[in-house]
Every structure is written in structure tokens, then in C-alpha cells.
Amino acid sequence: MIGPRSWIFQVVVRFAFFIINVFALYLLLRGHNQPGGGFIAGLASAAALILLSLAIGIEALHRLIRVDPVRMAAGGLLLALLSGAGPMLGGAAFLTQFNWHLHDLPLLGELHVGTPLVFDFGVYLVVIGICAKIIFVLVESTEGLPGLVVEEERRYSSPLEEPIEERPAAGKEMGRDAD
Amino acid sequence: MQIETALLIGALFACATWLILQRSFVRILFGFILLSNAANLLVLSMSGRPEGRGAPVVGETEMPLVDPLPQALILTAIVIGFGVTAYLVVLLYRLFLDQNTTSVSEMYREEEGE
Amino acid sequence: MPPVSLLIAIFFPVLGAALMPALGRRLGPRTGWVALAFAVVSASMVASFIPQAQDAHTHSWPWVPSLGLSLTFLVDGLAVFFGLVVSLMGVLVMLYGTFYLDDHYRDHGRFYSYLLLFMAAMLGTVFAGHLLLLFIFWELTGITSFLLIGFNHETDASRDGARMALLVTSLTGLVMLVGIVLLGQMAGTMELSELLANPPREATGLLNIVMLLVMVGAFGKSAQFPFHFWLPNAMAAPTPVSAYLHSATMVKLGVFLCGRLFPVFQQCEWWMPLLAIVSFGTMLLGAVMAFLAVDLKAMLAYSTVSQLGFLIGYYGMAPARGVDFDYLHILNHVFYKGSLFMVAGIVDHATGTRDIRAVGGLWRRAPLLAVIALIGCATMAGLPGTTGFLSKEYMLKEVFSAFTEHRILGWYALVAIVLTSFIKVAFSARVFHGVFFGPETEAVKHHFHKPPLGMLVPPLLLAAACLLLGLMPSFLGQSLATLEVTGLHNHAHGELHLWHGVTRELLASMALVAGGFLTYAIVYRIHLNDHKIPALLRWDVGFQRGLDGFGRLTKRVTRWLRSDSPLDYLPVMLATLTLVVGGALVRGVGASLFDGTWTLPDALRSMTAGLIIAAVLGVMLLRGWIPQLLCLSVAGFLVSFYYVLYRAPDLAMTQLLVETVTLILVLILLSRFPGSTEQEECLRPLGVGRRLLNVGLSLGVGVLMFTLVAVFSREPPANRVGDLILDRTVPLAAGSNAVNTTLVDFRGLDTLGEIAVLVITTLGCLGLLMRRKRTREEYRAGAKGPAGMGLEQAGLEDQA
């Protein structure tokens, strides 16, 4: 599934990657008042990432973007949670949102910012993270699932994952093998 | 009454059901994707006829606006549907690796033969 | 003494149990000394209750007031007696265990932790003042016993024995719970003190059933027929455990329960027959099996089963005015069986075997051990000068009097007791002679190493008690009399005496001893050691087979009822859905279905819908996965256009992007499946019947959904939540896109839940790909092992 590694394709895709991401950010920022928002922006950014990965390959992308998409998603979830939990410090209910209007900004003109944007940004990160991770994992698995398993296990596994029934101490198992 | 939407939804559900009842993993997956589309349209049809109404963005037009609630529901449903589809894809891949087949009946035959 | 010392007695060992694992890692075999300290504290606290044991005291602490549950403890003679047995035996066993579990063992901390927990559970059971509390502690003893029997869980015997013990004791315990609840209902209270003071006045009917249910629990715990088989299998436990749980304390719980509830159940008309028939039968059976067994510990276990049978049957035969010398019989058994178990453990420890055929001639190498065993065996046989003699004298005396009172049951009891005593003498002779006399066997010659002196101390103390108390009957009798309980005991009995003159009991006793020795001498000559327990009596084997068979049966039933193939369950589900919902629809709407206002279909929407349907038909009819997938994608993109027509720009954008990502995802998946499988699918279509069924079901679902939409979109809804949102999106959420404000503000919690689900889904996907079962070889090859999926894939490509 790795796309044609032609130079033109790579250049075009790199360019498109930035364009799409800028557009996605625009969608995210205007989402509150116009069609758009975290889900759409996240999907757009994820599509851009996937496109880039098809052009330059997953390895190169890993070198380019160091953060693991799952961590990005987890970070987004945490951000959304914190933006919801923040108002609780002030005694407000969970997920209470606050808004402020900013006037006369350069380029953007009128902009309102508020906790909904933080929340939406969390959604954005989650959507990018999960789309990118699932696609990357599936793509990587063509190039040898073994390598992927080792890599991901190094990253996420714990000693507890080792199957209990196969602990070397189990005398019965060893005995049966000896038979 | 939105006869065309009702027909569309009925057709989509029928096709999705037919696909899900097949033996092949791939067709079941396709059926599932169709089914989530059909369900989304079903919810959407509850917002009533869109004629003479505007998109649910306040202040753009003087017309009455369509119901935003089904749209919000569907938006999350689409994304969740994507998540479930992705899970299904990975699950089918994993099943294929373990069972070495893409057919449901093959899979169970193997298990019974063990 | 303040009642708090009771809490200390029970819960101080729990504290110790919590500390043991950490200590065990540092101290190793010396952990036992710390455990010993905990046991000593607990025992001294129990002992402090002796002075006030004449009267029953109830101490209560609130526990779950809303349920009417409280930590109620009843302190009376019976509880203090059993508490002393439990805690003092605990002290001796901890001491013994310190020497027994030497460096060859592992996990000392865990062992003493379990042992202390068991001790706490036992103390809780005997002091419990509330039936439910008693049950809870009762089951806790079963669980700790399970852990202790399975301590060497690497061996099959331990695991099987532990499982058997847990199943038997906990299942019978559950039966007992039913009895307890019923009893509580009948009496109107579960507080033991009130229950004993005012037992339900009903001799027949329900109380009989209740008694039967409760006694099933007691029989299970005390290994009475038909539950007798678990105790010998529990001998897989380390010997300190066997000496403690399976001779001295836990198996005595059934006896304790009989004593505890004696005033309640004594009037039942089934009480005497049930206890007498079952228990005296078990007594005889156990004695026979003990005589036939060859494993030293199993022999002792069967003999314990036999003795427990006597103790329970003793309560059954007791007259209504109360029992006389139950404490004597119990104490006698604790002394000699505890010491004999410890001796068996020392023999095992010193020679490496417990098979009585593989040891012999030990008296020259371990004279002190031989003396201890001699006293133990003499007590078991009931030779004069030991507590065993006293016990047997009074046992015979009571059975002779019972024989005049109860006629047939009396005969039965008499015959059983005479036969059992007779076999027991022969058995005692066999144990002592087989282990300490005869030629030295290979195991003794090659493996023997002298047991540490400290290990001999606990059995020596127990043996000394047999001898000294046996010689001082009046002292023993007076001490035990202080612990007697009104309602259970007959205070009017006389004092214990060693010499009654030449009575029929004495003569019978002498005859039994002589006959027993003679039998053993004869049997020894004809090499009984080659004999085995007949298969008919090996219920444990049957139990194991039954358990395995049960597993197979459930597997077969599951297979038969399985519904995990979608080809099997989906048609059923869909048909049910169609029939139920469709039926409701027809009933509810009926002919008025098409009464609504018909509007002309919108041209653009109709065209799009037609295109979508065409694309979907392509998915169904085209051959090959890639064309089907493309059709599916086309349908998805057209649906996003349909959203546009429905004035839903957010949805259209989302759908567009999701469709793109899904397309890539499925393409990657399809590229994984070899082309051969795709062709194979085309070659093997479904059968005609199945296809017709599928078509019928699909049409049914399609028509149902069409009708649903047609019915429910007839009229625009009157009060829409959406209008509220539209009104308030700017003033409340400061955003004009009502869809987005719904997502992030009005229904923010839903969105939060959704993104959490998405993250979990991704982790699940990762898990599916990462967590794969390695083969044993892969596991052996290293912590991570060589990657197996590569191998599988290579194999696949070869096939393709």
C-alpha cells in the first residue's frame, strides 16, 4: 500500500500536507460559528498525515513526527477532560464552558475564544491520533508484523503480559515436556 | 412524508442485511459499513423535510432552520462508526492470521474439527 | 478481661498475616518464629477468657447496622474450649513448622500468612455469636484451607486435593447457609445467645429439614460419609498443615457445630438417627480404610475420619439432659492425632518417604521419636495410663447405657464402636510396628538424617499431655468441668476416675486390646501390606472422574447451544426483529399507514437516492472485492451529498473525510488477504435454501425500515429539542453553529465519552495485533520470543 515514491508525488504531497493542515486548523477555529469543528478538522488532518505517509513512507514519517499517535490521542482526551474539570475548581459544574470575544484581531478579525475551543482541540487531537495510529499499524504490518510487535511491545507492554500458565516455575508443565 | 428517503433507507437496510448474512468476512464488513450509513440516514430522516429550511447555523438566513440535534447525533455516530469499522478491520485481519481463512463457515468448521 | 482482648485474639493474627509475605522474603525459614509470636499473643488472649467461661457473655460491635449485622461474639465454655484448642495447637504447629519448613521450601512468608489467616478464621468461627458471622468465618476456614492444601501448587496432587477440599467443604457450606437462613427465619433471630436460650419449639417438620441442611455442612467439614473422601486427599498439604487443620482444628468444626447447636436440634426426631447412622458408619468405614492404606499420612487421615465419626455420633446418641465427656474425647483426639501427624511429618522429613512399606527399623536411629510415637499409638489404642484409656472407658460406658435406651440404634452403635476400637488397636500396632521395627529399608539406610531436636518438642509436648493427663484424671475432669455449658452438658455427671474396679467396660477394653494385637500379628504374617483399599471405597477417584466428566459435559452442552457463528444466530435475531417490530407496527398503525399527506418527491434527492441504490446494488452484484469496495465508497460519497441536500454541511464534511479514511483502511485490509481466498469465495456460494432465507430476511428488514421511516416522518414533530438548542446556541454557548455547540457544550459529556471510546477502540485494535498467543517454543526462545506472525505469513504465501 505504499504509494509510488516518485519525486513529484512527494513534493506535491508535502505541499498538500501543509495546505490541508492549515485548512483543518481553520475549520477547527471557525467550528463554533460555521460548519467545522474538532471532528472534521481531526479527520482532515489525519487524512493529510495518511497521505504523507503514503508518499514518504511510515519510517520517514516516524522520523518526522516523533510523537506516537496514541499518545497524541491520549493527550487530547486528557486535554478535553481537563478543560471540563477546570471549571470545577471554581465551583462550577463539570464541563461548564466559558467564552470571550476578541475584536479587531489581525487577519482573523473578530474571534471568540473560550473553553469550547480547548475542548474541541482535544477532540481534534483524539481523532488525528486514532485514525493515524490504526492506519499506520495496519500499513506497518505489511512490512513485517514481527518488527511491529517488537516495537509496540517495547513501547507499551508490561511484564504482566507474559502468560502466567507458561511461567517456567510450573513444575507440571516442565514434567510433561520431559515425558 | 419523505418517500424517496424512506425508499433509500429501506433499500440500504435490505442490502446491508443481505451482505451481513454472507459467509465472507469482507462482505460482512461491507454490510456493516452500509448499515451504519443506513442508520445515520434513518436518524436524519427524523429531522423532517428540509425544504424551505436553512442549515443549522444561526444568523445566516431568515428561513427557519433544520433540527440540529439529529445532525449532532449523526456526527458522533459517523465518527464512532469509523472507530468500530477500524476495529472490525483489525479484528478480521487478526482472525485471518489466526484461522487462515476469510470465511465464517470455514472458521467454525476448523474449530469443530479440532 | 475486657472484650477487646477477644478482638485482639481474632484479628491480631490477621495483622500478622499481612506482615508475613514481606518478612518471609527477608527471614526465609526463620519467619516461623515471628508467626509463633503472633500465635502466642492470640493464645494468651484466648486463655484470659477461661476465668469467665462459666457463663455465656455476648460482645457486640456494630458492623453493617443497616442490615442488622453486627460483629457479635459469644464467649462461653464451648467457645473457649475450642478457642484454646485452636490457638494452642496453632502455637505448637508454628513451632513445628519453623523446623519442618527448612531451606528446602520456598515462600515461607506466604505459608505463615495463610496459617495465621486460618487461625484467625478458626477463632472467628468458634467465637461467632451470630449465625451469619459463623458462616462467614466457616467459609473463610475453607478458603484458607484450600490455599494451604494447595501450597505446593506445582504438584498435581496438591492442586487436586485443594480443589476437592474446597468444592466439598464450600458446597456443603452453601447447603448449610440455606439451613442457617431457614433457622433464622423459624427462630426469628440469628443471634446465637437468643437462639440457644429459646430454641424453636417444634420437634418435627421444618426443623428436621433445617437440621438436615445444617448437618450437611457439618458432615462436609468433618469429612463424614458421603463426604469422607476429601480428607485423605488433603494430605498433599505440608505436614504442619495436616496436623493443624486436618486433625486438630478445622475438621473438628463439624463437631463444634453439633455441640453449638445441640440445644436447638437435640429435640428433632431425625437428630439421633441421622447422626448415629451416618457417623458411626463413617467411623467404621474410616477405621477399615485406615487399616488398609499405605501412606502414613493417609492412614492417619482415615483414622481421623473415623474418630470424627465417633465424636459427631456421640452428640447424636446423647440423652436430652446433655452430654458428659465430649471435651475429653475431643481433647484426647487432638493430643494423639496431632502428635502422630507430627511424627509422620518427621519420618517423612528424615527419610523422604511416607509409605509405610518403605520405612522400618527407625527406633534404633531415632529413639526419642519412637517413644513419642509409642505414646501416641498407645493413646490411640487406648492402653491404660493414657487419655485414650479414659476416653475409651467412658465411651464404652456410654454406649452400653445407650444400648439399653435406644434398642436397634444402640445395637448398631455398639457393634460399630466395638469393631472400630478393635481395628484401631490393630491399626495402632501397625503404625508403630511398621515404622519403628522390622528391618531397615533402603530409604532409611540411604536418606536418613537426624531430625532437629526442636522439631520433636511439639509432638513431645502433646504426647506428654496424653500421658500426664491420662494419669491425673481428676485434675483433667475438674479443668474440663469449668468449661461446661448449660444446655449442652449434663452437669450432674461424676468425676473422671482411672479405676472403677473390674467392670464390663474394663473387661471389654482389655478384650479389644488383646484381640487387636492378635489380629495385627496374624495379618502381619500374611503380608497385608500388599493389600489395597478396594476401588469401591475410593470415592475420591470417582469424584475426580465426575469433575472431569462435568467439564466435558458443559463443553458439549456449550457446543450444542453455541451461538457464536453469525450464520446461525443472525437469521434468528433478524427474523425475530422483523416479526416483532413489524407486527407491532401493523397492529398500531394498520391501515392508516398511508393516510398521511403525500408530497411529491424532491427531484434532486430522488436522483441521489437512486444513484446510491445503484452503487449499493453494485456492492451486492459485482464480483471481486476491489470493485465492490469502490461501489461502496461511491455510495458513501453520495450519502455525503445527501447530507448536503438535507442542509447538514457538518455531516457532509465528516462523511466525506471518514469515507476517505475508511476506503484506505479497507484497501489495506484487502491487500492482506491472498487472492486465492477471494476466488475460493466465488467458487463456493451459499446453498439455495440459505440464499432464499437471506433474501427473505433482507427484504423483510428493508420493508420494515421503509415503513418505519414512512410512518414516523409523516408529520413534522411538534416540540423539537433542536429548536431549544437553536434558540440558545448564541446566548448560552456563544456560537452560531448549533451542531458544534451541541457537541462541545450542550452535550459535551457525550462527546467526551465518545472520544474516550475512540481511544479505547484504538487500544483494542493495538491489542488485537499485539497480543497473540505465542507457542511454547517461541516463549522459550526469549522474553519476547521470535516473531511468529512472520512464520505464519511465510507459510501462507507458500500455500497461495
Side-chain angles (χ1 to χ4, degrees):
Chain A
M1 280 314 298
I2 309 301
R5 301 270 171 89
S6 77
W7 183 76
I8 296 175
F9 183 61
Q10 285 195 20
V11 169
V12 169
V13 163
R14 273 169 205 243
F15 185 66
F17 177 71
F18 287 106
I19 296 288
I20 297 175
N21 270 316
V22 168
F23 181 62
L25 277 177
Y26 169 67
L27 280 176
L28 175 70
L29 288 178
R30 73 165 206 169
H32 216 49
N33 291 311
Q34 295 290 318
F39 283 112
I40 297 166
L43 283 166
S45 281
L49 257 182
I50 291 162
L51 199 60
L52 190 64
S53 79
L54 294 183
I56 65 173
I58 300 275
E59 297 81 15
L61 195 68
H62 276 323
R63 283 195 295 278
L64 210 63
I65 300 168
R66 294 291 171 83
V67 57
D68 186 55
V70 169
R71 296 192 182 190
M72 198 189 265
L77 186 59
L78 196 67
L79 190 67
L81 264 177
L82 287 179
S83 88
M88 290 172 81
L89 293 178
F94 183 59
L95 279 173
T96 309
Q97 311 282 22
F98 299 96
N99 295 282
W100 298 274
H101 274 277
L102 301 177
H103 299 279
D104 302 326
L105 283 177
L107 291 176
L108 294 166
E110 187 175 327
L111 180 72
H112 90 266
V113 292
T115 46
L117 192 65
V118 181
F119 185 82
D120 230 10
F121 191 66
V123 174
Y124 171 74
L125 286 180
V126 170
V127 174
I128 299 184
I130 64 131
C131 294
K133 185 68 190 182
I134 291 173
I135 297 272
F136 288 177
V137 163
L138 270 179
V139 170
E140 275 176 321
S141 64
T142 39
E143 300 177 348
L145 209 51
L148 177 77
V149 170
V150 169
E151 162 88 353
E152 295 289 334
E153 278 195 343
R154 185 179 56 70
R155 205 179 277 161
Y156 292 110
S157 74
S158 70
L160 287 177
E161 257 191 19
E162 286 171 10
I164 289 168
E165 73 268 24
E166 299 205 13
R167 279 203 199 143
K172 184 188 170 191
E173 308 288 328
M174 307 294 273
R176 192 179 286 167
D177 274 3
D179 287 343
Chain B
M1 187 178 285
Q2 312 154 51
I3 190 72
E4 69 280 9
T5 307
L7 274 175
L8 173 63
I9 290 168
L12 281 184
F13 266 106
C15 294
T17 311
W18 190 79
L19 284 171
I20 279 178
L21 286 169
Q22 301 297 304
R23 258 197 311 231
S24 156
F25 286 169
V26 179
R27 317 222 69 194
I28 291 176
L29 174 67
F30 290 170
F32 181 80
I33 296 172
L34 263 189
L35 194 65
S36 54
N37 272 330
N40 290 340
L41 283 174
L42 177 69
V43 177
L44 189 67
S45 74
M46 297 299 145
S47 64
R49 292 172 66 82
E51 272 90 8
R53 289 174 179 268
V57 178
V58 178
E60 296 274 299
T61 162
E62 293 302 309
M63 285 191 290
L65 304 180
V66 295
D67 194 348
L69 190 66
Q71 297 198 7
L73 294 182
I74 295 168
L75 205 145
T76 52
I78 292 174
V79 180
I80 283 278
F82 169 72
V84 178
T85 307
Y87 188 80
L88 198 58
V89 163
V90 175
L91 182 69
L92 293 183
Y93 181 41
R94 174 69 199 267
L95 274 177
F96 172 71
L97 290 180
D98 285 356
Q99 312 275 346
N100 201 2
T101 176
T102 58
S103 159
V104 172
S105 55
E106 287 285 324
M107 200 171 86
Y108 285 100
R109 185 175 310 151
E110 270 172 31
E111 200 174 292
E112 264 149 29
E114 74 188 348
Chain C
M1 287 302 288
V4 162
S5 54
L6 186 64
L7 286 189
I8 296 175
I10 296 172
F11 293 105
F12 197 58
V14 178
L15 178 72
L19 293 177
M20 285 301 136
L23 285 174
R25 238 166 278 139
R26 298 203 178 167
L27 298 179
R30 285 167 294 159
T31 322
W33 294 108
V34 186
L36 180 67
F38 279 95
V40 168
V41 170
S42 184
S44 54
M45 287 298 153
V46 174
S48 70
F49 280 98
I50 296 178
Q52 49 171 299
Q54 274 91 353
D55 308 309
H57 300 273
T58 305
H59 305 294
S60 193
W61 287 269
W63 183 18
V64 193
S66 55
L67 290 178
L69 266 182
S70 57
L71 278 179
T72 309
F73 293 103
L74 177 65
V75 180
D76 62 357
L78 187 69
V80 170
F81 172 75
F82 272 95
L84 279 175
V85 168
V86 168
S87 53
L88 290 178
M89 265 313 276
V91 169
L92 289 182
V93 164
M94 302 280 174
L95 182 61
Y96 179 73
T98 308
F99 292 99
Y100 187 86
L101 279 90
D102 49 17
D103 296 323
H104 299 301
Y105 283 79
R106 288 180 298 145
D107 295 335
H108 296 86
R110 192 158 61 89
F111 180 78
Y112 290 109
S113 178
Y114 292 163
L115 213 56
L116 283 173
L117 270 183
F118 169 77
M119 184 168 164
M122 272 308 293
L123 288 174
T125 315
V126 298
F127 280 108
H130 189 279
L131 280 176
L132 284 181
L133 193 65
L134 187 143
F135 171 77
I136 290 168
F137 279 119
W138 176 284
E139 292 287 286
L140 279 178
T141 64
I143 291 166
T144 44
S145 147
F146 168 75
L147 294 171
L148 282 167
I149 297 169
F151 183 69
N152 296 321
H153 53 81
E154 288 92 354
T155 63
D156 280 346
S158 283
R159 288 203 301 270
D160 289 346
R163 186 177 65 170
M164 194 182 287
L166 183 72
L167 280 177
V168 172
T169 55
S170 64
L171 289 182
T172 52
L174 284 180
V175 175
M176 184 178 92
L177 178 63
V178 176
I180 284 177
V181 171
L182 281 178
L183 183 61
Q185 290 289 322
M186 282 182 72
T189 175
M190 287 216 180
E191 298 285 339
L192 269 174
S193 50
E194 297 170 26
L195 194 67
L196 296 178
N198 301 306
R201 296 272 162 239
E202 188 188 353
T204 55
L206 193 56
L207 194 63
N208 273 325
I209 308 289
V210 169
M211 189 271 297
L212 190 66
L213 292 173
V214 173
M215 280 303 121
V216 166
F219 287 168
K221 206 71 156 181
S222 286
Q224 294 302 292
F225 186 87
F227 311 112
H228 60 282
F229 54 85
W230 72 263
L231 189 57
N233 283 285
M235 291 301 130
T239 305
V241 175
S242 308
Y244 191 28
L245 273 67
H246 305 126
S247 77
T249 56
M250 189 183 84
V251 291
K252 294 266 195 317
L253 274 185
V255 181
F256 165 76
L257 194 71
C258 290
R260 182 48 99 200
L261 295 177
F262 180 82
V264 180
F265 289 143
Q266 202 279 328
Q267 44 176 335
C268 283
E269 53 185 11
W270 293 359
W271 168 262
M272 192 188 70
L274 177 77
L275 263 61
I277 292 173
V278 170
S279 302
F280 287 132
T282 312
M283 177 177 75
L284 189 55
L285 182 71
V288 172
M289 285 167 88
F291 192 61
L292 292 176
V294 288
D295 180 344
L296 208 49
K297 275 174 78 178
M299 294 167 80
L300 292 174
Y302 280 122
S303 133
T304 304
V305 168
S306 165
Q307 185 68 17
L308 290 168
F310 166 68
L311 292 172
I312 290 184
Y314 179 79
Y315 283 115
M317 296 298 280
R321 64 174 187 276
V323 296
D324 295 334
F325 295 112
D326 56 339
Y327 288 164
L328 169 69
H329 302 310
I330 293 169
L331 209 55
N332 172 48
H333 182 237
V334 168
F335 286 156
Y336 80 76
K337 199 52 69 66
S339 81
L340 282 181
F341 260 116
M342 289 176 180
V343 167
I346 292 168
V347 169
D348 185 12
H349 200 261
T351 64
T353 179
R354 298 191 317 231
D355 192 327
I356 195 166
R357 296 166 299 188
V359 291
L362 274 182
W363 68 273
R364 251 170 281 135
R365 289 181 185 262
L368 185 56
L369 188 67
V371 170
I372 297 169
L374 179 64
I375 298 173
C377 288
T379 314
M380 181 153 66
L383 296 188
T386 61
T387 49
F389 178 72
L390 290 175
S391 170
K392 187 184 266 182
E393 284 286 286
Y394 284 95
M395 174 167 92
L396 288 171
K397 191 176 162 195
E398 276 151 1
V399 83
F400 281 139
S401 64
F403 156 64
T404 51
E405 274 179 45
H406 300 308
R407 303 260 161 227
I408 299 175
L409 275 180
W411 271 106
Y412 173 72
L414 179 70
V415 171
I417 283 178
V418 166
L419 278 178
T420 306
S421 312
F422 173 72
I423 297 172
K424 234 154 104 187
V425 174
F427 169 71
S428 311
R430 180 174 182 218
V431 169
F432 186 69
H433 185 260
V435 174
F436 291 97
F437 286 92
E440 285 196 353
T441 56
E442 293 293 306
V444 176
K445 271 181 201 150
H446 296 301
H447 297 287
F448 186 82
H449 58 272
K450 233 177 163 42
L453 206 60
M455 203 167 171
L456 292 174
V457 171
L460 187 63
L461 287 176
L462 288 170
C466 288
L467 208 55
L468 292 179
L469 294 178
L471 291 172
M472 297 189 292
S474 53
F475 169 72
L476 178 64
Q478 278 159 10
S479 319
L480 293 179
T482 59
L483 294 175
E484 286 183 352
V485 180
T486 315
L488 171 63
H489 291 103
N490 168 28
H491 292 292
H493 66 75
E495 287 197 353
L496 285 176
H497 292 292
L498 196 53
W499 180 251
H500 302 273
V502 183
T503 55
R504 55 181 174 176
E505 290 87 31
L506 185 66
L507 291 177
S509 181
M510 288 299 117
L512 287 175
V513 169
F517 283 139
L518 195 66
T519 315
Y520 178 65
I522 294 168
V523 162
Y524 179 68
R525 297 254 172 248
I526 59 171
H527 298 288
L528 182 96
N529 284 356
D530 301 334
H531 292 249
K532 272 191 195 160
I533 300 178
L536 194 65
L537 297 178
R538 290 295 302 264
W539 285 36
D540 50 340
V541 180
F543 184 81
Q544 285 289 1
R545 286 211 189 113
L547 215 56
D548 294 346
F550 186 66
R552 279 197 298 276
L553 178 75
T554 48
K555 207 171 190 174
R556 199 171 296 166
V557 170
T558 313
R559 279 236 166 116
W560 184 57
L561 289 175
R562 73 180 309 154
S563 61
D564 43 356
S565 168
L567 288 177
D568 294 338
Y569 69 80
L570 267 183
V572 180
M573 273 173 56
L574 289 171
T576 314
L577 173 89
T578 315
L579 291 178
V580 170
V581 180
L585 211 59
V586 169
R587 273 181 63 110
V589 183
S592 67
L593 178 57
F594 297 101
D595 290 351
T597 46
W598 286 84
T599 43
L600 273 181
D602 178 77
L604 195 52
R605 279 212 303 271
S606 307
M607 198 184 76
T608 316
L611 284 175
I612 293 175
I613 292 175
V616 170
L617 285 178
V619 179
M620 288 169 66
L621 301 178
L622 282 180
R623 286 206 162 187
W625 290 337
I626 300 295
Q628 288 170 3
L629 177 62
L630 289 180
C631 282
L632 188 74
S633 273
V634 168
F637 288 123
L638 286 169
V639 166
S640 79
F641 185 59
Y642 211 77
Y643 289 144
V644 172
L645 296 180
Y646 260 87
R647 316 286 189 266
D650 292 277
L651 291 193
M653 276 195 272
T654 315
Q655 172 77 14
L656 209 65
L657 290 163
V658 161
E659 207 50 53
T660 316
V661 181
T662 308
L663 177 67
I664 295 174
L665 197 67
V666 179
L667 267 176
I668 296 172
L669 174 73
L670 292 185
S671 72
R672 290 294 183 293
F673 294 156
S676 58
T677 50
E678 185 184 348
Q679 288 149 19
E680 232 169 77
E681 271 176 20
C682 298
L683 289 178
R684 295 186 47 243
L686 290 166
V688 179
R690 172 68 80 162
R691 266 198 270 182
L692 282 177
L693 177 72
N694 286 357
V695 169
L697 280 173
S698 313
L699 285 179
V701 172
V703 170
L704 176 71
M705 296 322 277
F706 165 76
T707 325
L708 267 183
V709 176
V711 169
F712 291 111
S713 64
R714 260 186 310 191
E715 294 149 15
N719 294 318
R720 299 190 309 179
V721 182
D723 290 332
L724 287 178
I725 293 177
L726 284 174
D727 287 346
R728 293 172 194 187
T729 175
V730 175
L732 282 185
S736 49
N737 182 0
V739 175
N740 188 265
T741 50
T742 311
L743 284 177
V744 300
D745 204 333
F746 294 118
R747 308 293 312 161
L749 194 60
D750 293 353
T751 311
L752 192 65
E754 187 205 346
I755 56 176
V757 169
L758 285 176
V759 172
I760 292 166
T761 312
T762 313
L763 294 181
C765 290
L766 284 180
L768 272 178
L769 286 177
M770 299 308 128
R771 287 187 69 109
R772 45 178 301 273
K773 205 172 169 185
R774 296 193 191 95
T775 64
R776 191 176 303 282
E777 286 68 34
E778 284 174 313
Y779 185 76
R780 292 272 163 72
K784 296 296 174 210
M789 282 196 179
L791 296 177
E792 284 169 37
Q793 277 198 325
L796 265 174
E797 278 156 21
D798 289 349
Q799 285 170 17

